[in-house]
Amino acid sequence: MTELQLDKRMKCIADCVPDGAILADIGTDHGKLPVYLAMKGRIKRAVAADINEMPLQKAVNNIKKHGLTDVIETCLTDGLKGIEKFTPDCVVIAGMGGELIEQILEESTLPKGGVKYVLQPMTKEDSLSRYLCKNGYVITDEHIVFEGKLYRIICAEYTGEITQMTESMHYLGRKNIEKGGEMLIALTEKVLERTEVKVAGRRMAGLDVTEEKALLAELQEIKFRHFEKKEGETL
Ligand SMILES: C[S@@+](CC[C@H](N)C(=O)[O-])C[C@H]1O[C@@H](n2cnc3c(N)ncnc32)[C@H](O)[C@@H]1O
């Protein structure tokens, strides 16, 4: 069997999947993630699911090529609809827009409890974070990965508890802020830049910028605090 190489983003997602998991990879496309994990003996079994036939066929071919048809099933479905029959205890939804991930969670027919969710939004990370906090999902861990651009990976579980977070936490990730490090500084700078552009645009349009200015202040404080920490460490 040929060794499958994952890029940093996918490797980080794979590392979030617990050993022995029953995995549902939603929007699997090529099916690389379940194939990699099955080849490593890291999962009990998996379902590779996609809404579109063409990508799912790529996954089918990949699974066959690696002789993994007894470990990985495939499913043509929209999001998590009908996925309960595979009884997954870990769900990965990666490489899709944050709003689509919210919609998939909202329309899920899978019992919410007892499942680890590993989510990697391509856009609207703050919106997904707000959705999770408002809808009873607790964010248990988070990562920032640089692979050509910065990606956020969010691990969450459903407990029914509503979590309160500041706006900067939604944009950067509370766990990421706790961990600190260079990736956090890079993400903070990116969000700062984007927010500054937004403030300028809203000012030009004569719109209120109170919320954006409050976010800028939070972000600047985080950047300053973590820069200071980093400088202290290198002295
Ligand atoms: C950009 S690929 C991401 C592939 C892989 N998960 C990754 O992170 O590299 C997005 C995949 O999601 C699939 N997709 C889009 N909407 C979906 C939905 N509602 N349910 C399941 N799959 C969906 C697309 O067909 C496509 O194969």
Side-chain angles (χ1 to χ4, degrees):
M1 265 195 265
T2 41
E3 174 81 9
L4 239 187
Q5 297 294 327
L6 297 186
D7 64 17
K8 267 197 237 167
R9 175 187 68 93
M10 263 297 184
K11 177 70 171 56
C12 182
I13 294 166
D15 289 344
C16 292
V17 175
D19 282 338
I22 302 172
L23 171 70
D25 184 27
I26 307 303
T28 195
D29 196 359
H30 32 65
K32 261 191 193 173
L33 178 72
V35 167
Y36 170 88
L37 288 166
M39 283 174 75
K40 295 256 173 214
R42 287 262 331 274
I43 49 172
K44 201 162 165 189
R45 54 190 166 83
V47 56
D50 207 288
I51 196 171
N52 292 308
E53 276 179 35
M54 287 244 299
L56 197 65
Q57 191 53 49
K58 281 193 266 172
V60 168
N61 297 342
N62 217 356
I63 294 160
K64 279 192 189 150
K65 183 176 135 193
H66 291 91
L68 293 166
T69 48
D70 54 339
V71 191
I72 311 170
E73 291 180 83
T74 55
C75 181
L76 186 69
T77 188
D78 178 0
L80 282 158
K81 289 177 189 162
I83 289 295
E84 61 277 11
K85 65 174 176 277
F86 300 97
T87 64
D89 55 22
C90 179
V91 166
V92 171
I93 314 176
M96 292 182 212
E99 282 169 343
L100 179 54
I101 297 177
E102 283 175 37
Q103 189 188 325
I104 288 174
L105 293 175
E106 192 64 25
E107 294 173 357
S108 171
T109 55
L110 179 71
K112 289 176 185 162
V115 176
K116 177 174 183 178
Y117 292 88
V118 182
L119 311 171
Q120 185 270 300
M122 299 299 283
T123 55
K124 307 260 181 183
E125 296 87 346
D126 56 307
S127 165
L128 178 60
S129 170
R130 267 180 230 106
Y131 174 85
L132 294 170
C133 292
K134 271 188 205 153
N135 287 278
Y137 294 86
V138 170
I139 296 175
T140 52
D141 201 5
E142 282 182 274
H143 304 275
I144 308 166
V145 173
F146 183 78
E147 180 73 60
K149 60 174 263 193
L150 291 165
Y151 295 98
R152 257 179 83 185
I153 293 151
I154 303 174
C155 300
E157 281 171 26
Y158 182 82
T159 63
E161 278 168 63
I162 310 300
T163 318
Q164 300 294 336
M165 282 201 199
T166 62
E167 272 302 284
S168 57
M169 287 173 184
H170 289 307
Y171 278 92
L172 305 175
R174 175 147 71 187
K175 298 282 172 189
N176 292 326
I177 298 170
E178 282 167 17
K179 289 183 206 173
E182 284 184 5
M183 289 295 105
L184 174 74
I185 294 172
L187 182 61
T188 309
E189 282 173 345
K190 183 179 142 186
V191 180
L192 261 170
E193 217 172 279
R194 226 196 276 154
T195 312
E196 275 160 2
V197 170
K198 195 171 169 190
V199 167
R202 287 182 68 84
R203 274 201 177 125
M204 292 252 285
L207 297 169
D208 181 59
V209 289
T210 313
E211 283 178 17
E212 289 75 13
K213 283 191 78 180
L215 174 62
L216 277 178
E218 282 181 41
L219 293 167
Q220 271 150 355
E221 188 279 323
I222 290 166
K223 182 178 162 186
F224 180 72
R225 181 157 38 97
H226 286 278
F227 251 130
E228 287 242 299
K229 206 171 149 203
K230 189 172 154 244
E231 292 301 299
E233 280 163 9
T234 52
L235 281 179

